Amino acid sequence: MSKSALVIIAQGSEEMETVITVDMLRRAGVSVTMAGLDGNSPVLCSRQVTLVPDKSLADALAEKPQYDAVILPGGLEGSDRLSKSDVVGTLLKEHEGSGKIIAAICAAPTAFVAHGVGKGKKITSYPTTKDKITSDYTYIEGERVVIDGNFVTSRGPGTAYWFGLSLIELLTDKEKAAQVEKGMIITGY
Amino acid sequence: MSKSALVIIAQGSEEMETVITVDMLRRAGVSVTMAGLDGNSPVLCSRQVTLVPDKSLADALAEKPQYDAVILPGGLEGSDRLSKSDVVGTLLKEHEGSGKIIAAICAAPTAFVAHGVGKGKKITSYPTTKDKITSDYTYIEGERVVIDGNFVTSRGPGTAYWFGLSLIELLTDKEKAAQVEKGMIITGY
């Protein structure tokens, strides 16, 4: 059975980080649900691209309480909304407890701080959000993607290809990641 | 006044190529219209992400017959629909005649062949579509982006960052492209 991933979007989420991640994981055969934090209505993202969620977060969790990965895209406003959501907080804590993959890119690792998950982990984030990552975490610079146990973090829209490849490798295997990398022509152009 | 770009999407367009390009150009201050080939209804893309166009292509052209750039995202089915559209053909010929930028990524350069624009130009495309590019063009491999006069082409989802940067440089300047590259953390992570 294919692995499952839940990508949660909110008003102001970064659209390319969202779409690159969803698209790449689907290329790898992962069953991805793009869920709207506030319902299943179209979501206006950070650069005015409107994405239609597959379903609301409430419905996504009603159908399946645990996913193999929970993934938070960045965008300052979107990350702020994810940080303030009790539903997201509960979900992250449950997934942390069961050792499932928890991933965030750009400004979204600030939601880990807000919800108190991943303490003690090495993480990275968008450079200007560094001061929001408390000393409960070890902050890493100079890497596109940081993996520490089941926590995966990345820096910004321009590192999203490698965030996607890391998630594919963790959810499937190296061969599948290499196949998607080749198919997308990230290298070998 | 800011430069304008028209990105045309159709059912089966490649969503990350579309969104990366739109998002990056907006980061650079370009006025981007994401237009739906068949209307303003949500468009189901190649990996089941649904994008909401800003408006229909018909409305986009009624409001503004010429844009500083016309951009075609890839995706096999999406490119095929762009190739078969008389409206797209007329638009590309008009923009070619006025020397405006015409750009396509992945499978979308096949629409140039279908509509007979850009003959004599150096172009690239998604590797498996190479055999559809006739001898009217000079096919280039080994480059992420090929620029020949006002024609800009690129290879696939994994070269979309650089397709976006090339378009930003052509529509604005090198400094703006460098600023977007840095802000996205394509380099300097």
Side-chain angles (χ1 to χ4, degrees), chain B residues 6-163:
Chain B
L6 179 67
V7 177
I8 309 172
I9 61 170
Q11 185 180 306
S13 286
E14 218 299 329
E15 46 271 75
M16 81 172 108
E17 292 168 357
T18 302
V19 172
I20 292 169
T21 306
V22 171
D23 186 328
M24 288 183 69
L25 288 170
R26 285 182 177 158
R27 284 170 178 258
V30 174
S31 173
V32 181
T33 302
M34 185 168 79
L37 178 67
D38 298 311
N40 63 0
S41 301
V43 174
L44 183 63
C45 294
S46 68
R47 267 77 191 179
Q48 283 71 58
V49 172
T50 300
L51 300 177
V52 183
D54 298 317
K55 56 190 68 165
S56 69
L57 179 58
D59 284 349
L61 294 176
E63 285 172 26
K64 190 174 170 70
Q66 287 227 333
Y67 289 76
D68 295 307
V70 174
I71 303 167
L72 309 182
L76 280 177
E77 183 189 350
S79 299
D80 193 47
R81 289 174 184 271
L82 298 175
S83 294
K84 286 175 176 158
S85 162
D86 291 339
V87 175
V88 171
T90 301
L91 176 69
L92 292 179
K93 282 170 201 156
E94 284 172 1
H95 277 70
E96 180 175 37
S98 58
K100 303 289 187 181
I101 293 169
I102 298 176
I105 184 169
C106 194
T110 59
F112 295 172
V113 181
H115 298 302
V117 298
K119 287 184 181 178
K121 296 287 185 188
K122 287 182 225 170
I123 67 172
T124 192
S125 70
Y126 193 75
T128 58
T129 64
K130 182 185 174 184
D131 61 353
K132 292 184 185 168
I133 307 298
T134 61
S135 58
D136 289 328
Y137 303 84
T138 302
Y139 197 83
I140 305 290
E141 292 175 276
E143 303 283 342
R144 281 175 170 142
V145 182
V146 173
I147 302 173
D148 187 354
N150 54 326
F151 279 78
V152 182
T153 50
S154 186
R155 306 216 84 187
T159 61
Y161 291 158
W162 295 273
F163 181 61

Side-chain angles (χ1 to χ4, degrees), chain A residues 14 23 126 155 157-158 161 183-184, chain B residues 14 23 126 157-158 161 183-184:
Chain A
E14 218 298 328
D23 186 329
Y126 193 75
R155 304 216 84 186
Y161 292 158
M184 283 175 61
Chain B
E14 218 299 329
D23 186 328
Y126 193 75
Y161 291 158
M184 284 175 59

Side-chain angles (χ1 to χ4, degrees), chain A residues 8-15 17-18 37-38 42-49 72-85 88 105-111 114-115 126 128-129 132, chain B residues 27:
Chain A
I8 308 173
I9 62 169
Q11 185 180 305
S13 287
E14 218 298 328
E15 47 273 72
E17 293 168 357
T18 303
L37 177 67
D38 298 311
V43 174
L44 183 63
C45 293
S46 67
R47 269 75 190 181
Q48 284 71 59
V49 172
L72 309 182
L76 282 175
E77 183 189 349
S79 300
D80 193 47
R81 290 174 184 272
L82 298 175
S83 294
K84 287 176 175 157
S85 162
V88 171
I105 183 168
C106 195
T110 60
H115 297 302
Y126 193 75
T128 59
T129 65
K132 293 184 185 167
Chain B
R27 284 170 178 258

